[in-house]
Amino acid sequence: MLTTIIVLLVANAIAHIISFQKLRKAKASNSAGVMAFVLINAIIAILLLQKVDWAKWLALIFPSLGGFGLLITTIIKGKGTWIDYIILVLDITIVGLILNYHIL
C-alpha cells in the first residue's frame, strides 16, 4: 500500500504542475502556492520511499490542508477546472489510504 500512496503523491505533484502552468498562463496570484504543493508532495513521496516513519503524518496533513483549501477557495465558488477536481480526488484518496492503512 505504501507504493500506491507514493505513486498517488507523485501523481498529485504532476497534477499540481499542470495546475501551476494553467495559473501562470492566466497570471493568477495563487500560482506560487500551487508550486509549493508540487515540492511538498514530491518531498513527502521521497520521505515515504525512504521509509521515514513520521512522513505518514505529513502525508495526512498536507493533502488534507491542500484539498480543504482547494475546496473552499475554488471548487465551492464554482471556479474549479478539471485539474482542480483531479487534485481534490487525489488528496482525498491519499488521506483515506493513510488513515486506513497507517493511522487507524
Side-chain angles (χ1 to χ4, degrees):
M1 192 50 57
L2 186 61
T3 303
T4 303
I5 294 168
I6 291 168
V7 168
L8 289 170
L9 283 162
V10 170
N12 203 347
I14 292 167
H16 276 85
I17 290 170
I18 294 167
S19 179
F20 171 76
Q21 290 174 340
K22 289 180 72 159
L23 290 170
R24 192 175 59 155
K25 192 178 206 181
K27 297 185 184 210
S29 61
N30 59 341
S31 62
V34 173
M35 181 52 80
F37 273 95
V38 170
L39 299 173
I40 289 167
N41 281 299
I43 289 168
I44 295 170
I46 291 167
L47 291 171
L48 288 175
L49 189 61
Q50 295 178 349
K51 299 193 185 323
V52 176
D53 188 51
W54 51 265
K56 66 185 176 194
W57 296 104
L58 297 177
L60 179 66
I61 293 167
F62 282 101
S64 296
L65 291 173
F68 184 71
L70 182 64
L71 186 67
I72 297 299
T73 62
T74 305
I75 294 174
I76 288 179
K77 292 183 179 181
K79 297 187 287 183
T81 63
W82 63 272
I83 195 66
D84 297 321
Y85 289 99
I86 289 173
I87 291 170
L88 183 61
V89 167
L90 288 167
D91 285 340
I92 291 168
T93 304
I94 292 166
V95 169
L97 290 175
I98 289 291
L99 284 173
N100 196 31
Y101 292 99
H102 296 286
I103 306 291
L104 301 178

